[in-house]
Amino acid sequence: MSAPSLERLRTAGPGHVLPGRAAVEAHLAGSADLHAAPGTPPTATGAWLRRALDVAPPAAVWALHVQDGPGRDAALVLVDRVHATGTRTELLAGGGGHEASFPAADPALAARLGAALAREADRRGSSLHLTELPDDPRVHALAAGAGARVEDVLPVPEVRRPAEGEHLVSAGVRKNLRKARNRLAADGVRAELTFSTDPDVFEATLPELELAHRDRDAAHGVACPLDTPAGRAVWRARLGALGDLGRRELAVLRLDGALAAHVVAVRGGARHGVFEGCFVTRWARYSPGRLLEHEVLQRAFADPRTEVVDWMTGVAPETLLVVTGERRRLVVRRGRSGGPAPD
């Protein structure tokens, strides 16, 4: 984008700023279609944003909306958070490494939105850190309009539908899966696999999922986010948002009746998203996480509409059964008053 066009953007009329939770709730209620455009990731939909509002400081959330005629809108839902380096404006969409997005009719309108965002951030004295965004012309235009940098963050690993006659996983992985099943049989351990989209089943299983998270983090010697009321509330809100979409699926592998591994996924359309998954370490001998992951992949591709399974976050590829591609993601960064963005 040329310098003259940037200058025109920065002197254009301001966007409509909506401060506080009540104003943002009203915006979401009146703009449901805007936040449900085709291609919007589950973690940037209106359902996700409404749940995120429930666990964000009410006075710290705000939205920005620009319009250029009927059907030509662009919007951001944001939250100001205090960090060691000062106040930072972040997206309410995404979070926890999950993909964010924002609606914009086209790159030109996204650039106008970026210019309005920079003006409001300067007024608030905040830096910008809009992360986990797709590599999309609208994102680059937003950054250009705001005078911000675009940098890479961890890409999302993907598994694309194997060609007819191709195996889903390598010969080595298939051998390891057979070994795990043989151990189960030799030890007389009963395995039960279930898939469910029933909200009541999910709620009943939620305490076990929480224990699995705590077990995993304890095994790695790290603090579990669920050990704090705020962390637990955010986790539950995100899972609730996926339930609000009506496409949440819970896969559970039980060994001798006890939960050994689980996966929460989002079904629908060409892309099947794995939101979270973990296993209970006492069952590590039987590789329950691997066994369940393979079943989840097979089930996803049994649907002829599914072309891609992804992990919805920048998971390290070496921890997965198979990876055949990746999707680039970006962060838009700008320091206060246009200065260098803090690390």
Side-chain angles (χ1 to χ4, degrees):
M1 185 174 291
S2 64
S5 61
L6 265 179
E7 183 58 32
R8 284 195 296 272
L9 284 170
R10 288 173 179 150
T11 56
H16 187 198
V17 177
L18 304 152
R21 176 173 171 173
V24 176
E25 285 178 336
H27 163 75
L28 292 174
S31 308
D33 291 345
L34 186 62
H35 292 279
T40 301
T43 47
T45 58
W48 182 272
L49 293 168
R50 282 188 290 272
R51 290 282 188 157
L53 278 176
D54 290 341
V55 291
V61 293
W62 56 289
L64 181 64
H65 184 204
V66 300
Q67 188 174 45
D68 185 19
R72 286 186 48 75
D73 298 84
L76 289 164
V77 181
L78 303 148
V79 58
D80 290 339
R81 301 191 190 278
V82 178
H83 294 262
T85 54
T87 301
R88 194 167 79 178
T89 295
E90 303 172 3
L91 290 166
L92 199 61
H98 294 98
E99 188 167 12
S101 185
F102 63 93
D106 54 42
L109 204 55
R112 277 190 55 193
L113 183 67
L117 174 63
R119 285 194 296 271
E120 181 62 16
D122 288 347
R123 189 189 72 79
R124 291 167 175 263
S126 66
S127 60
L128 298 178
H129 189 89
L130 315 182
T131 193
E132 316 300 347
L133 287 164
D135 183 15
D136 179 284
R138 298 169 307 129
V139 172
H140 291 276
L142 177 83
R149 299 203 309 267
V150 175
E151 300 172 1
D152 282 281
V153 292
L154 283 175
V156 175
E158 299 179 329
V159 182
R160 298 198 167 271
R161 174 180 288 278
E164 190 171 350
E166 285 187 352
H167 287 288
L168 179 59
V169 296
S170 69
V173 169
R174 296 198 302 275
K175 180 179 178 181
N176 288 335
L177 292 174
R178 284 195 301 271
K179 286 181 177 179
R181 295 188 187 101
N182 289 340
R183 288 193 193 105
L184 287 169
D187 294 350
V189 176
R190 176 173 52 87
E192 178 188 7
L193 176 67
T194 60
F195 290 87
S196 178
T197 58
D198 187 332
D200 291 336
V201 171
F202 190 90
E203 286 300 319
T205 314
L206 200 52
E208 293 178 286
L209 307 189
E210 187 170 336
L211 288 174
H213 272 275
R214 295 179 189 278
D215 172 83
R216 178 196 62 188
D217 291 345
H220 287 87
V222 298
C224 180
L226 307 190
D227 286 341
T228 68
R232 188 168 179 266
V234 167
W235 177 69
R236 283 179 169 261
R238 289 169 176 168
L239 292 174
L242 300 184
D244 294 343
L245 289 174
R247 295 188 282 126
R248 182 184 63 195
E249 181 176 76
L250 173 64
V252 170
L253 175 62
R254 294 185 180 277
L255 299 181
D256 282 346
L259 187 143
H262 79 269
V263 166
V264 178
V266 183
R267 299 181 61 85
R271 188 173 291 277
H272 183 103
V274 175
F275 179 75
E276 72 166 36
C278 63
F279 73 94
V280 178
T281 53
R282 64 176 281 222
W283 300 107
R285 166 174 165 76
Y286 306 108
S287 303
R290 297 291 198 178
L291 290 172
L292 183 56
E293 184 181 337
H294 187 244
E295 294 292 339
V296 167
L297 289 170
Q298 286 188 308
R299 179 178 171 86
F301 288 123
D303 184 340
R305 299 172 299 173
T306 302
E307 293 297 326
V308 177
V309 176
D310 73 50
W311 272 259
M312 298 175 69
T313 62
V315 180
E318 60 269 18
T319 67
L320 304 175
L321 279 182
V322 57
V323 174
T324 59
E326 63 181 29
R327 190 167 74 256
R328 188 184 182 202
R329 294 189 307 171
L330 307 170
V331 57
V332 173
R333 302 180 70 215
R334 178 182 184 268
R336 288 185 291 279
S337 300
D343 293 329

